[in-house]
Structures are given as structure tokens and as C-alpha cells.
Amino acid sequence: MTMPPEAIDAADARRDGSLRPGQVVALLLAALPLLLLLQPYQWLSALGFRLQQAWPLGGAGGIPGGSLLLVFAGTALLTLLANGPLKGGRGGGLTGVLALQLERVRQGPSRTAALASLDLRRQLARLPLLLLTHGAGLTVGLESPSASLGASLLLALRQWVAPLRRLPLPVLLATGAGAGLGIAFNSVLLGVTYAIEELCRRRSAALINGTLLITGVGVMLGVATGLWGSTPDAAPAHQAGASLLVGGGVHLLGPALLLTLAAGWLGGVFAAATAWMAGCWGRWLARPAGAGGSALARPVIWALLAALVISLAAVASGGWSLNDGQLLILRMAYGEDRPGLAILPWRLLASVLSIAIGAPGGVMHDAMSLGALLAGPLIADLPPLERQLLVWTGATALFSGACRTPLFCALFVMQIAGTMALLPWLLLVAALAAPIGRWVWADTWNEVQLERWLEIHGAKETEEMKAA
């Protein structure tokens, strides 16, 4: 008699959570196919950056007509496909992974639906939407598609590789998703922290955020007050980075804390605006057609309107509202001709609309770019290192305020900044911003998608179940 998957998971999960030799080998061998599968995503992302650089991006040149037509036509076509024949490929694709972390989705129809959403063929069928997303310059990034592809690959291999069947399904999916994101961004630590904080949030969020708050304040106080420096022989290897961070930058503490509060708040607003826009979009499309009206007319009209708004935002921002924001972040930190705060509303509008219409991607670079823009008024006359510190502070705070994954957010921004010396400060910024964002709006975008999925598939907890 064949044991059901749930029984295998329960029976074979080791008490200490360690991997068996066969599982180690299977996971090592899975790295190569995942790396190869992720290459088309990287090519499409690079294409998006090349197309965006054809725009003025702060220069005095005119906007090429072909680039504007590409944004308009690509957005309209993506909207029609993502809300029609390719509807299964819209969004980040991680809802099935998040759902299968919950006990109530471990069996029955909801489990079947969650597994179906992670079918590897469905992930590969999203390539046309990804091509249109990056070809049209929509703002979402590669993080969620890369993570969902990693989860789908391990799920597909599970059918053929016995050692993987002996891993608990939630662990297997979180592992694959973390690996997909980590390989996509060339960082092992980002993959691990993403799996722990984003995918296993219900078990780890309070623990991580609380530890970061206490430890972060303790470390920064120790450095700022000189207590660390008074005992250099106690931990000589830790002195250099901490001294570099604080040396000469104490006068930035007030502006940095103000920026952290403002960006954390705006991160909550960003999450709320994204949920609101997506809800409005769904209701608009769900309205029944009038008597004698065509069922196709409404989606076409809304697709053209969405394309018009995205195109107008691109023109008004000189191209800075396009793509996932990496070019903007780098210009704010290192460029001389930096975008102004006037671009922020256009970028915010393009971001929430790109997500609402179903562009497959994540919001991470979107949030970071908005935070970098928010730092603009504070960095006008600062020397380069101080300017960079505030840009990375704004990017981290808004990112954490929107996504509520402070450890992952700080590490991601640190990787972009390229210096470990910033990490103690960025960890504290992220830990402060995360609860501020949640006070503004309780749910992240991934949580909103999960709640809606649970409602649709009849797996939502009742209030009595939550209270039990």
C-alpha cells in the first residue's frame, strides 16, 4: 500500500531537521538545472535594462518614438494575456508555496490547487508574460518568478527522486524558492534569509525582528558611545567595519532616523496602494457586460487605459518610472545628475499599476527605488559617502516597511551597496521600519495574495479557528 504524501512527510522528517546523505546529493544535483532554467529570466532582465537606457534618464535628449510605442503596445498586450489566456502565469507565482506552508492546505482540494499552481510547465509558460514585462519596461523584478521557478523545479524532481519525497513538502518548496532567488541574485545568504523570513514568516518573523531590534540598538550604542572602542583587544576583527560606519557620521543620525520613519511609513502606504489597486482592477474586470455589449470590449478598453497610464508616467519621469528600479537606485547613490523627488509619484503609480495588471514579478526593487528617491532632499550637498549612507537607509527602510522582512531587506541593500560596514546600521533601520509599515497597513502584498487565494479555494480560517 502506497503511503500518501502527508504520511511520508510526517514519518520521514527527522526530529533534528538534518538532511540525509541521499537528500544532500539530490539537492546538489538540482543546482545545475535550476541555474540553466533561470538563464532566460536573466536575459529578459538584461533586455529590459537595455531598452530603458534608450530613454533620456535625466538627459536632454528626446524620447524615441519606437521606445514609447514599445511601452504602450507591450503593456496593452501583457494586460490582455495576463487577464485572459495566460491568466495562470500572472503575478509573482509564490502563492502556492506560501499556501502549502499552512496546515489547512496540506490535504484536499486546496492542496491540489496549490500544487497545480507550481507545475513546472505553468512556470515555463510564463515566459511570454516575462518577455512583455521586461520588453515594455514594467517595474516588477525577477525575485518572485525566480523563487517560484526554484520551488517548481524541486516539486517536479520530487516525483522522480525518492530522497526528495522524504523531505517535508513545505520545507522542500521553501528550499527551492530560496535557492531560485539566491541563484538569480548571486547570493547564498539572500536565498536563505528569503526562505526563512518570507516563506516561513509565521514561525520566524517576531523572533527575527525582535532579535534585530535589541541587537541592533546594542551594537550601535556600543559603537557610538565608544564602549566598543574602549576594549579593542576583546574583538579586534569586528572593529574595522563598525568604526568605518560611525566615524565622522554622527551628525547624520537625526536625518537618518527621520528618513527611516518616513520611508517605513511610505512602505506601508505602498503595500496598501498595491492591494487597493489590485482589488479595484479585479472588480472592474469582473463587472458584467451591459446588454448587447461584447465580453471582449471591457478587457481591451482597460488594457489600453493601463498602457496609456504606464506610457504617460514614463514620459513624465523621463523613463525613470520604467523597469525594476536598479538604474535609479545606482544613480541616486553614485550619480551626479540624480532624479528629483518629483519622480516619486510617477514611479509609485507605475509600480502599483504594473502589479495590479498581473505583470509577473516582485516588488523588492520597486520598494528600494522609492526609498532611494525619498532620500533625495537630504543628500543634495553631502559628500559621496554620506550621501550613499542616506540613500541606502531610505532604500532599506521603505523596502522593509513594505515587505516586513528586515534581515533579508538589509542584506539585499548591503549587497547592492557592496560594503559590509553598513550592515549593523541597515539591520537596525530595517528592524525599525518593518513594524512602522505594518502599523500603516497590516498585510504585505504576498499576504494579500495568499488571503485572496485561501478565500477562493475555501481554505480560509474562520475567526473561531484563529482564536483557538
Side-chain angles (χ1 to χ4, degrees), residues 93-128:
L94 277 174
T95 305
V97 178
L98 293 168
L100 286 163
Q101 303 299 312
L102 306 176
E103 289 288 345
R104 61 186 184 278
V105 188
R106 304 280 174 84
Q107 57 187 350
S110 59
R111 174 190 169 97
T112 303
L115 291 173
S117 72
L118 295 169
D119 184 271
L120 189 57
R121 289 166 296 184
R122 178 177 290 191
Q123 295 293 326
L124 297 178
R126 303 171 76 202
L127 283 174

Side-chain angles (χ1 to χ4, degrees), residues 139-155:
T139 66
V140 293
L142 280 179
E143 55 274 5
S144 294
S146 300
S148 60
L149 181 62
S152 295
L153 175 64
L154 286 195
L155 183 64

